[in-house]
Amino acid sequence: MKVFIKEIALKTSRRIEMVDITSLIRGAVSESGVKEGLCVVYSPHTTAAITVNENADPSVRHDIENKLSELVPYSARYSHLEGNADAHIKTTMVGPSETLIVTGGALYLGTWQGVFFAEFDGPRSRRVVVRVMGD
């Protein structure tokens, strides 16, 4: 079994932002040489997450950003006093990773799906870890 690990550097530009990283993940899968296996995409941050969702219509990203902000507002009263408690909660809701299928040497996604880095405490310099495993 092959195991390939790549770290990808990102810079976010807004406090809350869904960054389409699909092409970066596809590139890592291609670079791995794995034909059949799994790809784990992981955010090693407590205020950022990884998710898979529609990438054809940018309004979906904005709807997700807006709904999460409505559900977990920045300005609510929190015990955590660093000013980013909402970001920690949003990250817990979305999750730090996604496991995706690799088949035929390529990332297997649905027609409208993309992979997103979800920033909840930006702008910041961030990283994403990609691990591709298989044959």
Side-chain angles (χ1 to χ4, degrees), residues 15-124:
R15 183 161 198 287
I16 297 176
E17 179 180 11
M18 303 272 291
V19 180
D20 185 352
I21 59 171
T22 309
S23 64
L24 298 171
I25 306 307
R26 287 187 197 279
V29 168
S30 178
E31 188 179 340
S32 76
V34 170
K35 299 299 179 200
E36 301 294 328
L38 296 174
C39 173
V40 177
V41 183
Y42 174 69
S43 166
H45 305 287
T46 61
T47 57
I50 302 294
T51 191
V52 173
N53 214 297
E54 180 176 330
N55 71 350
D57 181 354
S59 68
V60 173
R61 286 182 248 176
H62 298 295
D63 289 343
I64 292 169
E65 293 168 4
N66 290 337
K67 183 49 80 173
L68 285 171
S69 293
E70 179 184 316
L71 293 170
V72 187
Y74 173 72
S75 60
R77 292 177 40 185
Y78 300 106
S79 297
H80 183 62
L81 299 177
E82 291 180 14
N84 63 354
D86 67 307
H88 291 289
I89 296 166
K90 290 169 187 158
T91 298
T92 296
M93 292 170 71
V94 176
S97 66
E98 290 285 348
T99 301
L100 305 167
I101 296 169
V102 174
T103 189
L107 195 60
Y108 185 83
L109 290 172
T111 302
W112 308 112
Q113 287 182 318
V115 184
F116 295 91
F117 180 85
E119 173 66 77
F120 299 123
D121 193 26
R124 290 183 182 255

